[in-house]
Amino acid sequence: MSIRLKINGEDRVYHGDPRDSLLTVLRRDLRLTGAKDVCGEGFCGACMVIENGTAVPACLRPVGLLEDAEITTIEGLSPLSEPSPLQAAFARHDVVQCGMCFPGMVMTLTSLLAENPSPDRTEVKAALVGNLCRCTGYERIVDAVMSLQEQEHAQ
Ligand code: FES
Ligand code: FES
């Protein structure tokens, strides 16, 4: 079976088992390893990607359901040399510890900010309900997101 989809702006055709998860296809076949394989069951959010504008856990998306989907992974967000404003805010607030959860956090929050550029703290926390971090405090993550608005107001 062939499935056509767009990944990070590039047209791709997947020839294989349509039951394979998008996470497997990204990591095993395309070597896009930014989305992390942690729980594999939709609980932790480490594998979040953006599918047609919405953050979804790639481990729960069989590739057979993704005909014509547009997928963005963390590799497609910005070049390594030029982190997105959100990624830069995470770095400034020194929120990353082991880093396992952070690609997923960035994808969830990127999707939130595209929909709602000025979320309040409650909205940021609600968006992160499906992203688990076992290392760090969530408050600094929220601080980093809120700093983007402060930065904008200061300009
Ligand atoms: S690896 Fe997909 S939600 Fe945990
Ligand atoms: S920084 Fe280690 S799981 Fe979040």
Side-chain angles (χ1 to χ4, degrees):
M1 180 170 182
S2 305
I3 295 125
R4 272 162 228 287
L5 67 170
K6 202 170 259 198
I7 298 179
N8 296 336
E10 277 183 51
D11 290 322
R12 301 278 191 170
V13 183
Y14 178 68
H15 303 281
D17 189 333
R19 295 168 300 179
D20 282 346
S21 73
L22 174 61
L23 183 60
T24 298
V25 173
L26 292 173
R27 292 180 60 86
R28 179 194 66 194
D29 301 337
L30 301 176
R31 300 283 185 239
L32 293 170
T33 55
K36 302 300 180 209
D37 190 354
V38 178
C39 72
E41 295 183 346
F43 291 117
C44 73
C47 65
M48 287 289 187
V49 298
I50 298 177
E51 177 189 334
N52 299 331
T54 302
V56 295
C59 68
L60 289 188
R61 302 296 291 142
V63 72
L65 296 180
L66 299 178
E67 180 75 25
D68 293 330
E70 292 202 17
I71 305 294
T72 305
T73 70
I74 192 148
E75 291 90 345
L77 269 193
S78 56
L80 271 184
S81 55
E82 213 177 298
S84 71
L86 176 65
Q87 288 168 307
F90 275 179
R92 272 198 311 279
H93 284 75
D94 197 21
V95 291
V96 180
Q97 292 193 29
C98 83
M100 206 60 176
C101 67
F102 270 86
M105 295 256 183
V106 167
M107 299 316 281
T108 296
L109 292 168
T110 297
S111 163
L112 168 72
L113 291 168
E115 235 177 69
N116 175 6
S118 308
D120 60 28
R121 294 185 80 86
T122 307
E123 289 168 324
V124 175
K125 287 181 186 175
L128 287 176
V129 75
N131 290 81
L132 304 183
C133 174
R134 64 183 177 181
C135 301
T136 193
Y138 289 85
E139 285 303 318
R140 276 193 292 168
I141 298 169
V142 181
D143 289 345
V145 178
M146 299 313 289
S147 76
L148 295 172
Q149 292 174 46
E150 288 153 23
Q151 229 176 341
E152 209 163 278
H153 290 142
Q155 280 168 7

